[in-house]
Amino acid sequence: QITLKETAPTFVKPPQPLTLTCTFSGFNFAERGVGVGWIRQAPGKSLEWLALIYWNNVKLYSRSLETRLTITKDTSRNRIVLTLITVGPEDSATYFCARADIDYPVISFNHFDPWGPGIHVSVSS
Amino acid sequence: QITLTQPVSVAGSPGQSVTISCTKSVSVTGIKSAVSWYQQLPGKSPRLIIFDDTLRPSGVPVRFSGSMSGDTASLTIVPLKEEDEAHYFCSSFGGLTGVVFGGGTKVTVL
C-alpha cells in the first residue's frame, strides 16, 4: 500500500520560509518512472501545481513560483522536501504531496496517484 | 503555457448522465500530454479517477469514463449517484512548463 503524508508548521509569519516534508512508503523512489509532486489549494480555489521531482533528480517548478521554490529528495529516508521562501498571506493553503507516474522513456508526467491527506498552512503576521 | 478550461458547475438527477469538458488552450506537440481527472469530495484530498485520457484505475466504478476529441477531454458519469457530488479537476502536462490543472467543476446531484 502506497501512502504519503505531509508535515509542516501550521502557522508561518511573513517573510519567513516555509518547509514542507512529504514522507512516503510503499514505493521505491529510485525506480524508473516514479516522481513526487507538490500541489496546493487555497480555500475554495482550484488546485495549483508547485513542483515535481523525478527519480533521476529532474526537477520542474511552477513558472510563477520558481524563484521561491526548491524541491529536494532524501531517498534514504523516503522524504521529499519543498521549501518556499519569502511567504506571504497569499501562500495560505492546504498543501498536498502526491506520487507521480512518469511515462518512460519520454519522461512526461502522466498523473498523480495517490495523494497525501494534505496539511493546512496559515501565513499571517 | 497551456491552460485547461472547465465549466464551473454541472448538475444532474440520480441515474442521469453528466459530462464535464476540459479544453486545452493550445495543442502541445513533441511531448505526451495526456489528461487525467481527479475527484475531490468535501474536506478530502483529490483521488485519481481517469488517466491517459481514457483509462480507469482499479477500484474506480465503471460509471466514470474519459474521452478525448481534439483538444477537449471529457469526463462522463453515468448513471449519476448521490455520492458523486464533488469537485472534479482535469490535469495535463505542458513539458518544461510543468503540470497544469483546470479550474475545477462542481457536480451537483439534484
Side-chain angles (χ1 to χ4, degrees), chain A residues 67-110:
Chain A
T67 59
R68 300 172 53 208
L69 287 169
T70 303
I71 190 169
T72 58
K73 61 181 175 72
D74 181 351
T75 308
S76 64
R77 295 203 290 179
N78 281 2
R79 293 181 183 178
I80 304 295
V81 177
L82 183 73
T83 302
L84 175 65
I85 63 171
T86 323
V87 301
E90 67 279 5
D91 296 311
S92 296
T94 297
Y95 288 76
F96 300 98
C97 66
R99 181 188 179 279
D101 191 281
I102 311 298
D103 288 327
Y104 185 86
V106 295
I107 318 292
S108 289
F109 165 83
N110 191 291

mmCIF file of all heavy atoms in Angstrom, chain A residues 67-110:
data_model
loop_
_atom_site.group_PDB
_atom_site.id
_atom_site.type_symbol
_atom_site.label_atom_id
_atom_site.label_comp_id
_atom_site.label_asym_id
_atom_site.label_seq_id
_atom_site.Cartn_x
_atom_site.Cartn_y
_atom_site.Cartn_z
ATOM 1 N N THR A 67 11.162 31.077 -8.620
ATOM 2 C CA THR A 67 12.237 31.799 -7.932
ATOM 3 C C THR A 67 12.152 31.619 -6.418
ATOM 4 O O THR A 67 13.087 31.958 -5.698
ATOM 5 C CB THR A 67 12.190 33.298 -8.258
ATOM 6 O OG1 THR A 67 10.922 33.810 -7.848
ATOM 7 C CG2 THR A 67 12.381 33.528 -9.749
ATOM 8 N N ARG A 68 11.047 31.093 -5.925
ATOM 9 C CA ARG A 68 10.833 30.953 -4.481
ATOM 10 C C ARG A 68 10.827 29.504 -4.020
ATOM 11 O O ARG A 68 10.745 29.244 -2.814
ATOM 12 C CB ARG A 68 9.521 31.619 -4.080
ATOM 13 C CG ARG A 68 9.435 33.110 -4.394
ATOM 14 C CD ARG A 68 8.029 33.648 -4.146
ATOM 15 N NE ARG A 68 7.588 33.316 -2.805
ATOM 16 C CZ ARG A 68 6.312 33.154 -2.457
ATOM 17 N NH1 ARG A 68 5.353 33.292 -3.347
ATOM 18 N NH2 ARG A 68 5.987 32.872 -1.214
ATOM 19 N N LEU A 69 10.876 28.566 -4.943
ATOM 20 C CA LEU A 69 10.725 27.158 -4.597
ATOM 21 C C LEU A 69 12.013 26.359 -4.773
ATOM 22 O O LEU A 69 12.775 26.592 -5.711
ATOM 23 C CB LEU A 69 9.646 26.519 -5.489
ATOM 24 C CG LEU A 69 8.192 26.886 -5.219
ATOM 25 C CD1 LEU A 69 7.315 26.373 -6.361
ATOM 26 C CD2 LEU A 69 7.731 26.342 -3.890
ATOM 27 N N THR A 70 12.208 25.394 -3.872
ATOM 28 C CA THR A 70 13.272 24.408 -4.023
ATOM 29 C C THR A 70 12.725 23.057 -3.583
ATOM 30 O O THR A 70 12.156 22.945 -2.489
ATOM 31 C CB THR A 70 14.502 24.756 -3.170
ATOM 32 O OG1 THR A 70 14.981 26.052 -3.511
ATOM 33 C CG2 THR A 70 15.616 23.739 -3.419
ATOM 34 N N ILE A 71 12.889 22.053 -4.431
ATOM 35 C CA ILE A 71 12.452 20.701 -4.096
ATOM 36 C C ILE A 71 13.688 19.793 -4.046
ATOM 37 O O ILE A 71 14.560 19.884 -4.904
ATOM 38 C CB ILE A 71 11.403 20.164 -5.102
ATOM 39 C CG1 ILE A 71 10.779 18.865 -4.597
ATOM 40 C CG2 ILE A 71 11.982 20.010 -6.496
ATOM 41 C CD1 ILE A 71 9.550 18.426 -5.406
ATOM 42 N N THR A 72 13.751 18.981 -3.011
ATOM 43 C CA THR A 72 14.886 18.058 -2.856
ATOM 44 C C THR A 72 14.373 16.703 -2.405
ATOM 45 O O THR A 72 13.259 16.593 -1.874
ATOM 46 C CB THR A 72 15.893 18.571 -1.815
ATOM 47 O OG1 THR A 72 15.224 18.742 -0.562
ATOM 48 C CG2 THR A 72 16.516 19.884 -2.237
ATOM 49 N N LYS A 73 15.200 15.684 -2.611
ATOM 50 C CA LYS A 73 14.817 14.339 -2.191
ATOM 51 C C LYS A 73 15.842 13.778 -1.214
ATOM 52 O O LYS A 73 17.029 14.066 -1.328
ATOM 53 C CB LYS A 73 14.657 13.411 -3.397
ATOM 54 C CG LYS A 73 15.914 13.211 -4.246
ATOM 55 C CD LYS A 73 15.614 12.300 -5.410
ATOM 56 C CE LYS A 73 16.818 12.164 -6.356
ATOM 57 N NZ LYS A 73 17.895 11.363 -5.792
ATOM 58 N N ASP A 74 15.333 12.986 -0.289
ATOM 59 C CA ASP A 74 16.179 12.245 0.648
ATOM 60 C C ASP A 74 15.711 10.803 0.535
ATOM 61 O O ASP A 74 14.884 10.344 1.316
ATOM 62 C CB ASP A 74 16.005 12.791 2.065
ATOM 63 C CG ASP A 74 16.892 12.071 3.079
ATOM 64 O OD1 ASP A 74 17.512 11.053 2.709
ATOM 65 O OD2 ASP A 74 16.959 12.524 4.229
ATOM 66 N N THR A 75 16.235 10.138 -0.486
ATOM 67 C CA THR A 75 15.759 8.803 -0.808
ATOM 68 C C THR A 75 15.983 7.822 0.340
ATOM 69 O O THR A 75 15.150 6.950 0.597
ATOM 70 C CB THR A 75 16.455 8.296 -2.077
ATOM 71 O OG1 THR A 75 16.306 9.273 -3.102
ATOM 72 C CG2 THR A 75 15.850 6.996 -2.549
ATOM 73 N N SER A 76 17.075 8.003 1.079
ATOM 74 C CA SER A 76 17.384 7.058 2.156
ATOM 75 C C SER A 76 16.345 7.115 3.265
ATOM 76 O O SER A 76 16.127 6.131 3.975
ATOM 77 C CB SER A 76 18.773 7.354 2.722
ATOM 78 O OG SER A 76 18.801 8.638 3.312
ATOM 79 N N ARG A 77 15.696 8.283 3.415
ATOM 80 C CA ARG A 77 14.678 8.413 4.470
ATOM 81 C C ARG A 77 13.274 8.538 3.886
ATOM 82 O O ARG A 77 12.330 8.883 4.599
ATOM 83 C CB ARG A 77 14.990 9.631 5.351
ATOM 84 C CG ARG A 77 16.290 9.470 6.122
ATOM 85 C CD ARG A 77 16.331 10.345 7.357
ATOM 86 N NE ARG A 77 16.435 11.756 7.036
ATOM 87 C CZ ARG A 77 16.466 12.721 7.964
ATOM 88 N NH1 ARG A 77 16.392 12.412 9.243
ATOM 89 N NH2 ARG A 77 16.576 13.979 7.616
ATOM 90 N N ASN A 78 13.140 8.263 2.601
ATOM 91 C CA ASN A 78 11.830 8.312 1.930
ATOM 92 C C ASN A 78 11.132 9.647 2.158
ATOM 93 O O ASN A 78 9.953 9.697 2.569
ATOM 94 C CB ASN A 78 10.940 7.159 2.411
ATOM 95 C CG ASN A 78 11.297 5.842 1.740
ATOM 96 O OD1 ASN A 78 12.229 5.762 0.942
ATOM 97 N ND2 ASN A 78 10.544 4.809 2.044
ATOM 98 N N ARG A 79 11.847 10.714 1.907
ATOM 99 C CA ARG A 79 11.284 12.045 2.100
ATOM 100 C C ARG A 79 11.547 12.941 0.898
ATOM 101 O O ARG A 79 12.596 12.868 0.263
ATOM 102 C CB ARG A 79 11.893 12.722 3.331
ATOM 103 C CG ARG A 79 11.539 12.082 4.656
ATOM 104 C CD ARG A 79 12.190 12.859 5.788
ATOM 105 N NE ARG A 79 11.934 12.238 7.086
ATOM 106 C CZ ARG A 79 12.419 12.683 8.245
ATOM 107 N NH1 ARG A 79 13.196 13.761 8.255
ATOM 108 N NH2 ARG A 79 12.153 12.070 9.369
ATOM 109 N N ILE A 80 10.579 13.797 0.616
ATOM 110 C CA ILE A 80 10.726 14.844 -0.376
ATOM 111 C C ILE A 80 10.434 16.161 0.337
ATOM 112 O O ILE A 80 9.398 16.283 1.000
ATOM 113 C CB ILE A 80 9.744 14.667 -1.549
ATOM 114 C CG1 ILE A 80 9.897 13.291 -2.189
ATOM 115 C CG2 ILE A 80 9.940 15.789 -2.576
ATOM 116 C CD1 ILE A 80 11.224 13.040 -2.852
ATOM 117 N N VAL A 81 11.335 17.108 0.228
ATOM 118 C CA VAL A 81 11.177 18.372 0.939
ATOM 119 C C VAL A 81 10.985 19.512 -0.057
ATOM 120 O O VAL A 81 11.712 19.608 -1.043
ATOM 121 C CB VAL A 81 12.410 18.648 1.825
ATOM 122 C CG1 VAL A 81 12.284 20.010 2.506
ATOM 123 C CG2 VAL A 81 12.572 17.543 2.864
ATOM 124 N N LEU A 82 10.009 20.342 0.224
ATOM 125 C CA LEU A 82 9.757 21.541 -0.586
ATOM 126 C C LEU A 82 9.936 22.761 0.301
ATOM 127 O O LEU A 82 9.355 22.834 1.378
ATOM 128 C CB LEU A 82 8.342 21.523 -1.155
ATOM 129 C CG LEU A 82 8.003 22.704 -2.068
ATOM 130 C CD1 LEU A 82 8.726 22.565 -3.416
ATOM 131 C CD2 LEU A 82 6.491 22.806 -2.286
ATOM 132 N N THR A 83 10.738 23.688 -0.153
ATOM 133 C CA THR A 83 10.939 24.940 0.574
ATOM 134 C C THR A 83 10.407 26.097 -0.243
ATOM 135 O O THR A 83 10.712 26.220 -1.431
ATOM 136 C CB THR A 83 12.430 25.161 0.887
ATOM 137 O OG1 THR A 83 12.922 24.042 1.647
ATOM 138 C CG2 THR A 83 12.627 26.433 1.697
ATOM 139 N N LEU A 84 9.607 26.925 0.397
ATOM 140 C CA LEU A 84 9.033 28.126 -0.228
ATOM 141 C C LEU A 84 9.531 29.315 0.586
ATOM 142 O O LEU A 84 9.236 29.425 1.781
ATOM 143 C CB LEU A 84 7.510 28.056 -0.208
ATOM 144 C CG LEU A 84 6.740 29.272 -0.715
ATOM 145 C CD1 LEU A 84 6.996 29.498 -2.208
ATOM 146 C CD2 LEU A 84 5.237 29.109 -0.458
ATOM 147 N N ILE A 85 10.285 30.181 -0.048
ATOM 148 C CA ILE A 85 10.848 31.314 0.692
ATOM 149 C C ILE A 85 9.949 32.545 0.583
ATOM 150 O O ILE A 85 9.061 32.611 -0.268
ATOM 151 C CB ILE A 85 12.270 31.662 0.188
ATOM 152 C CG1 ILE A 85 12.241 32.095 -1.275
ATOM 153 C CG2 ILE A 85 13.216 30.487 0.410
ATOM 154 C CD1 ILE A 85 13.575 32.668 -1.756
ATOM 155 N N THR A 86 10.197 33.470 1.488
ATOM 156 C CA THR A 86 9.516 34.769 1.484
ATOM 157 C C THR A 86 7.998 34.608 1.385
ATOM 158 O O THR A 86 7.357 35.130 0.468
ATOM 159 C CB THR A 86 10.034 35.642 0.331
ATOM 160 O OG1 THR A 86 11.429 35.454 0.148
ATOM 161 C CG2 THR A 86 9.794 37.110 0.645
ATOM 162 N N VAL A 87 7.422 33.908 2.328
ATOM 163 C CA VAL A 87 5.982 33.653 2.263
ATOM 164 C C VAL A 87 5.188 34.909 2.596
ATOM 165 O O VAL A 87 5.653 35.816 3.291
ATOM 166 C CB VAL A 87 5.567 32.501 3.202
ATOM 167 C CG1 VAL A 87 6.303 31.227 2.828
ATOM 168 C CG2 VAL A 87 5.788 32.866 4.657
ATOM 169 N N GLY A 88 3.956 34.917 2.092
ATOM 170 C CA GLY A 88 3.019 35.995 2.370
ATOM 171 C C GLY A 88 1.637 35.387 2.592
ATOM 172 O O GLY A 88 1.449 34.179 2.415
ATOM 173 N N PRO A 89 0.655 36.196 2.963
ATOM 174 C CA PRO A 89 -0.707 35.680 3.210
ATOM 175 C C PRO A 89 -1.274 34.894 2.029
ATOM 176 O O PRO A 89 -2.075 33.970 2.230
ATOM 177 C CB PRO A 89 -1.517 36.950 3.473
ATOM 178 C CG PRO A 89 -0.517 37.929 3.983
ATOM 179 C CD PRO A 89 0.743 37.643 3.230
ATOM 180 N N GLU A 90 -0.844 35.226 0.824
ATOM 181 C CA GLU A 90 -1.347 34.527 -0.364
ATOM 182 C C GLU A 90 -0.858 33.087 -0.445
ATOM 183 O O GLU A 90 -1.345 32.303 -1.268
ATOM 184 C CB GLU A 90 -0.933 35.282 -1.644
ATOM 185 C CG GLU A 90 0.566 35.291 -1.934
ATOM 186 C CD GLU A 90 1.334 36.333 -1.143
ATOM 187 O OE1 GLU A 90 0.736 37.016 -0.270
ATOM 188 O OE2 GLU A 90 2.556 36.464 -1.401
ATOM 189 N N ASP A 91 0.090 32.727 0.408
ATOM 190 C CA ASP A 91 0.587 31.352 0.438
ATOM 191 C C ASP A 91 -0.176 30.470 1.428
ATOM 192 O O ASP A 91 0.128 29.282 1.565
ATOM 193 C CB ASP A 91 2.084 31.336 0.773
ATOM 194 C CG ASP A 91 2.925 32.013 -0.295
ATOM 195 O OD1 ASP A 91 2.738 31.686 -1.482
ATOM 196 O OD2 ASP A 91 3.737 32.890 0.067
ATOM 197 N N SER A 92 -1.149 31.040 2.102
ATOM 198 C CA SER A 92 -2.005 30.244 2.987
ATOM 199 C C SER A 92 -2.825 29.281 2.137
ATOM 200 O O SER A 92 -3.525 29.703 1.201
ATOM 201 C CB SER A 92 -2.952 31.151 3.785
ATOM 202 O OG SER A 92 -2.230 31.999 4.644
ATOM 203 N N ALA A 93 -2.729 27.997 2.446
ATOM 204 C CA ALA A 93 -3.394 26.992 1.620
ATOM 205 C C ALA A 93 -3.231 25.625 2.278
ATOM 206 O O ALA A 93 -2.489 25.479 3.259
ATOM 207 C CB ALA A 93 -2.782 26.948 0.223
ATOM 208 N N THR A 94 -3.926 24.650 1.715
ATOM 209 C CA THR A 94 -3.656 23.258 2.042
ATOM 210 C C THR A 94 -2.650 22.743 1.034
ATOM 211 O O THR A 94 -2.844 22.895 -0.174
ATOM 212 C CB THR A 94 -4.939 22.419 2.006
ATOM 213 O OG1 THR A 94 -5.841 22.902 3.008
ATOM 214 C CG2 THR A 94 -4.629 20.954 2.269
ATOM 215 N N TYR A 95 -1.573 22.168 1.539
ATOM 216 C CA TYR A 95 -0.513 21.664 0.689
ATOM 217 C C TYR A 95 -0.573 20.137 0.643
ATOM 218 O O TYR A 95 -0.650 19.474 1.687
ATOM 219 C CB TYR A 95 0.849 22.128 1.218
ATOM 220 C CG TYR A 95 1.104 23.598 0.992
ATOM 221 C CD1 TYR A 95 0.487 24.569 1.787
ATOM 222 C CD2 TYR A 95 1.935 24.036 -0.041
ATOM 223 C CE1 TYR A 95 0.700 25.923 1.565
ATOM 224 C CE2 TYR A 95 2.168 25.387 -0.261
ATOM 225 C CZ TYR A 95 1.541 26.318 0.543
ATOM 226 O OH TYR A 95 1.748 27.663 0.314
ATOM 227 N N PHE A 96 -0.556 19.606 -0.570
ATOM 228 C CA PHE A 96 -0.593 18.164 -0.789
ATOM 229 C C PHE A 96 0.700 17.701 -1.460
ATOM 230 O O PHE A 96 1.242 18.407 -2.316
ATOM 231 C CB PHE A 96 -1.735 17.774 -1.737
ATOM 232 C CG PHE A 96 -3.110 18.137 -1.293
ATOM 233 C CD1 PHE A 96 -3.720 19.292 -1.767
ATOM 234 C CD2 PHE A 96 -3.828 17.313 -0.434
ATOM 235 C CE1 PHE A 96 -5.017 19.630 -1.387
ATOM 236 C CE2 PHE A 96 -5.110 17.636 -0.052
ATOM 237 C CZ PHE A 96 -5.707 18.800 -0.528
ATOM 238 N N CYS A 97 1.138 16.505 -1.105
ATOM 239 C CA CYS A 97 2.141 15.839 -1.925
ATOM 240 C C CYS A 97 1.491 14.589 -2.512
ATOM 241 O O CYS A 97 0.498 14.070 -1.970
ATOM 242 C CB CYS A 97 3.411 15.487 -1.156
ATOM 243 S SG CYS A 97 3.246 14.262 0.162
ATOM 244 N N ALA A 98 2.007 14.146 -3.644
ATOM 245 C CA ALA A 98 1.413 13.008 -4.326
ATOM 246 C C ALA A 98 2.487 12.263 -5.124
ATOM 247 O O ALA A 98 3.435 12.881 -5.636
ATOM 248 C CB ALA A 98 0.295 13.472 -5.267
ATOM 249 N N ARG A 99 2.321 10.965 -5.221
ATOM 250 C CA ARG A 99 3.212 10.172 -6.050
ATOM 251 C C ARG A 99 2.857 10.472 -7.509
ATOM 252 O O ARG A 99 1.685 10.504 -7.877
ATOM 253 C CB ARG A 99 3.048 8.690 -5.771
ATOM 254 C CG ARG A 99 3.974 7.788 -6.606
ATOM 255 C CD ARG A 99 3.622 6.323 -6.408
ATOM 256 N NE ARG A 99 4.463 5.437 -7.190
ATOM 257 C CZ ARG A 99 4.284 5.173 -8.486
ATOM 258 N NH1 ARG A 99 3.297 5.737 -9.127
ATOM 259 N NH2 ARG A 99 5.102 4.345 -9.097
ATOM 260 N N ALA A 100 3.901 10.666 -8.318
ATOM 261 C CA ALA A 100 3.704 10.957 -9.730
ATOM 262 C C ALA A 100 4.109 9.762 -10.569
ATOM 263 O O ALA A 100 5.135 9.125 -10.311
ATOM 264 C CB ALA A 100 4.516 12.181 -10.131
ATOM 265 N N ASP A 101 3.306 9.490 -11.564
ATOM 266 C CA ASP A 101 3.636 8.461 -12.548
ATOM 267 C C ASP A 101 4.218 9.171 -13.769
ATOM 268 O O ASP A 101 3.552 10.033 -14.355
ATOM 269 C CB ASP A 101 2.375 7.681 -12.914
ATOM 270 C CG ASP A 101 2.696 6.443 -13.712
ATOM 271 O OD1 ASP A 101 2.933 6.572 -14.926
ATOM 272 O OD2 ASP A 101 2.733 5.351 -13.114
ATOM 273 N N ILE A 102 5.436 8.810 -14.121
ATOM 274 C CA ILE A 102 6.138 9.467 -15.218
ATOM 275 C C ILE A 102 6.282 8.479 -16.365
ATOM 276 O O ILE A 102 6.807 7.376 -16.175
ATOM 277 C CB ILE A 102 7.542 9.935 -14.776
ATOM 278 C CG1 ILE A 102 7.481 10.700 -13.451
ATOM 279 C CG2 ILE A 102 8.205 10.740 -15.879
ATOM 280 C CD1 ILE A 102 6.673 11.963 -13.494
ATOM 281 N N ASP A 103 5.798 8.836 -17.535
ATOM 282 C CA ASP A 103 5.947 7.964 -18.700
ATOM 283 C C ASP A 103 7.419 7.876 -19.097
ATOM 284 O O ASP A 103 8.089 8.894 -19.251
ATOM 285 C CB ASP A 103 5.133 8.491 -19.875
ATOM 286 C CG ASP A 103 3.644 8.313 -19.670
ATOM 287 O OD1 ASP A 103 3.257 7.312 -19.037
ATOM 288 O OD2 ASP A 103 2.885 9.173 -20.123
ATOM 289 N N TYR A 104 7.891 6.672 -19.266
ATOM 290 C CA TYR A 104 9.290 6.438 -19.638
ATOM 291 C C TYR A 104 9.310 5.671 -20.949
ATOM 292 O O TYR A 104 8.515 4.741 -21.128
ATOM 293 C CB TYR A 104 9.997 5.661 -18.527
ATOM 294 C CG TYR A 104 11.468 5.475 -18.777
ATOM 295 C CD1 TYR A 104 12.378 6.469 -18.375
ATOM 296 C CD2 TYR A 104 11.953 4.352 -19.432
ATOM 297 C CE1 TYR A 104 13.727 6.318 -18.618
ATOM 298 C CE2 TYR A 104 13.297 4.198 -19.680
ATOM 299 C CZ TYR A 104 14.183 5.180 -19.265
ATOM 300 O OH TYR A 104 15.524 5.039 -19.512
ATOM 301 N N PRO A 105 10.183 5.936 -21.900
ATOM 302 C CA PRO A 105 11.326 6.861 -21.816
ATOM 303 C C PRO A 105 11.034 8.293 -22.253
ATOM 304 O O PRO A 105 11.953 9.096 -22.326
ATOM 305 C CB PRO A 105 12.313 6.207 -22.776
ATOM 306 C CG PRO A 105 11.446 5.610 -23.834
ATOM 307 C CD PRO A 105 10.221 5.137 -23.126
ATOM 308 N N VAL A 106 9.778 8.637 -22.527
ATOM 309 C CA VAL A 106 9.511 10.002 -22.994
ATOM 310 C C VAL A 106 9.660 11.050 -21.896
ATOM 311 O O VAL A 106 9.717 12.242 -22.172
ATOM 312 C CB VAL A 106 8.097 10.108 -23.596
ATOM 313 C CG1 VAL A 106 7.990 9.248 -24.844
ATOM 314 C CG2 VAL A 106 7.050 9.671 -22.589
ATOM 315 N N ILE A 107 9.717 10.581 -20.633
ATOM 316 C CA ILE A 107 9.880 11.452 -19.472
ATOM 317 C C ILE A 107 8.804 12.535 -19.430
ATOM 318 O O ILE A 107 9.072 13.730 -19.278
ATOM 319 C CB ILE A 107 11.285 12.113 -19.441
ATOM 320 C CG1 ILE A 107 12.362 11.109 -19.821
ATOM 321 C CG2 ILE A 107 11.573 12.668 -18.046
ATOM 322 C CD1 ILE A 107 12.572 10.005 -18.800
ATOM 323 N N SER A 108 7.560 12.115 -19.593
ATOM 324 C CA SER A 108 6.430 13.034 -19.457
ATOM 325 C C SER A 108 5.605 12.655 -18.236
ATOM 326 O O SER A 108 5.299 11.479 -18.039
ATOM 327 C CB SER A 108 5.533 12.964 -20.695
ATOM 328 O OG SER A 108 6.150 13.540 -21.811
ATOM 329 N N PHE A 109 5.248 13.679 -17.462
ATOM 330 C CA PHE A 109 4.346 13.436 -16.339
ATOM 331 C C PHE A 109 3.040 12.872 -16.863
ATOM 332 O O PHE A 109 2.500 13.330 -17.886
ATOM 333 C CB PHE A 109 4.091 14.752 -15.602
ATOM 334 C CG PHE A 109 2.905 14.700 -14.667
ATOM 335 C CD1 PHE A 109 3.038 14.178 -13.397
ATOM 336 C CD2 PHE A 109 1.666 15.164 -15.071
ATOM 337 C CE1 PHE A 109 1.949 14.132 -12.535
ATOM 338 C CE2 PHE A 109 0.577 15.123 -14.225
ATOM 339 C CZ PHE A 109 0.717 14.600 -12.957
ATOM 340 N N ASN A 110 2.485 11.887 -16.152
ATOM 341 C CA ASN A 110 1.211 11.310 -16.560
ATOM 342 C C ASN A 110 0.099 11.638 -15.565
ATOM 343 O O ASN A 110 -0.916 12.220 -15.957
ATOM 344 C CB ASN A 110 1.341 9.811 -16.750
ATOM 345 C CG ASN A 110 0.123 9.210 -17.420
ATOM 346 O OD1 ASN A 110 -0.951 9.163 -16.838
ATOM 347 N ND2 ASN A 110 0.267 8.793 -18.677
#
